[in-house]
Amino acid sequence: MHIPACATTELEILTFDDACQHSPLSETYNRDRWLYIPDFYSEYRYVLGTRGQRPLICIGINPSTAAPGALDNTLKSVERIALANGFDSFTMFNVYAQRATRPEDMERTWNEALHRENMKAFDFVLSQCETPTVWAAWGNIIETRPYLPLCVRDMIAIGMEHSAQWVCAGKISKKGHPHHPLYLRKDEPVRPFDIEGYIASMLPKQPAVV
């Protein structure tokens, strides 16, 4: 279990560009197989996945303990579903980059600097694909913090720049949330998801201009 040691504002956050550099703190793993940024275990994670030409980009809420060669049950499910749907790899990305196994342990106020670098990471992930497929897979956890839908809004804008195709898998909740990867069949098909309509229903309504 990962419980944050402190607020991320108390940390020296690596920019995404700096986090892409090989670190002397790097754990031993096969760089030809794994994409891991930063390349060592820390209080935050931008990207974790396997390398390939056609990855399924899965979006969770925030990272937990997973690392190359030590996937948790959620990421094992993500990898199985990616391969079953004809993708050759998977990329695990998150709406917010702070590690916390329990959603209630996430910081209550977002770190705008961390969010900004996380969005740079998302832009990088999408840029690696000619036609990126993005799997919304966060479940009801998005209701944990009010800043999370705002993060998704920014991701939608970046996705538009790359012509990203948003999908979901499994049953949509009564509130419209896309299903979390756990407890899905290993061959669960992905299907189109109206991410813009979904996030519009999540954000506060703007007053009409008279």
Side-chain angles (χ1 to χ4, degrees):
M1 177 176 290
H2 187 100
I3 300 174
C6 61
T8 59
T9 51
E10 299 177 32
L11 303 172
E12 184 177 348
I13 299 293
L14 286 175
T15 66
F16 177 68
D17 289 341
D18 286 345
C20 287
Q21 306 304 312
H22 292 177
S23 166
L25 299 176
S26 174
E27 298 179 10
T28 302
Y29 65 93
N30 184 348
R31 294 184 184 278
D32 292 331
R33 168 169 168 72
W34 294 99
L35 180 65
Y36 187 39
I37 306 172
D39 62 1
F40 58 91
Y41 194 94
S42 67
E43 288 289 315
Y44 57 95
R45 189 188 76 211
Y46 294 128
V47 184
L48 171 60
T50 51
R51 295 184 183 273
Q53 298 299 312
R54 187 170 179 259
L56 176 59
I57 303 165
C58 180
I59 312 297
I61 285 297
N62 71 301
S64 181
T65 60
L71 300 183
D72 57 23
N73 289 335
T74 294
L75 268 73
K76 289 177 181 177
S77 180
V78 168
E79 184 171 35
R80 287 192 296 265
I81 291 172
L83 297 178
N85 279 272
F87 297 89
D88 65 359
S89 53
F90 79 93
T91 300
M92 190 70 213
F93 194 79
N94 291 278
V95 174
Y96 195 64
Q98 183 190 33
R99 283 191 195 260
T101 301
R102 300 178 304 188
E104 60 266 28
D105 289 332
M106 292 175 62
E107 48 199 0
R108 295 189 175 278
T109 302
W110 70 345
N111 180 340
E112 292 188 33
L114 180 62
H115 170 65
R116 181 171 59 250
E117 298 306 320
N118 199 41
M119 293 302 97
K120 291 179 182 177
F122 189 54
D123 184 68
F124 166 80
V125 166
L126 297 188
S127 73
Q128 303 304 295
C129 312
E130 186 174 341
T131 53
T133 300
V134 182
W135 173 15
W138 46 73
N140 296 331
I141 304 173
I142 197 168
E143 298 182 11
T144 305
R145 297 288 184 264
Y147 56 79
L148 295 172
L150 300 175
C151 296
V152 175
R153 181 187 61 186
D154 290 347
M155 295 173 72
I156 294 171
I158 294 170
M160 287 179 176
E161 296 175 3
H162 294 275
S163 300
Q165 304 298 308
W166 288 79
V167 300
C168 64
K171 186 177 180 181
I172 299 296
S173 76
K174 291 182 179 179
K175 293 185 176 181
H177 302 310
H179 203 291
H180 190 276
L182 278 180
Y183 311 120
L184 292 176
R185 300 195 325 263
K186 64 182 180 180
D187 60 347
E188 187 75 43
V190 298
R191 61 185 191 279
F193 182 64
D194 178 13
I195 186 66
E196 294 179 57
Y198 164 77
I199 207 63
S201 70
M202 289 284 294
L203 294 173
K205 300 295 186 293
Q206 297 296 322
V209 177
V210 179

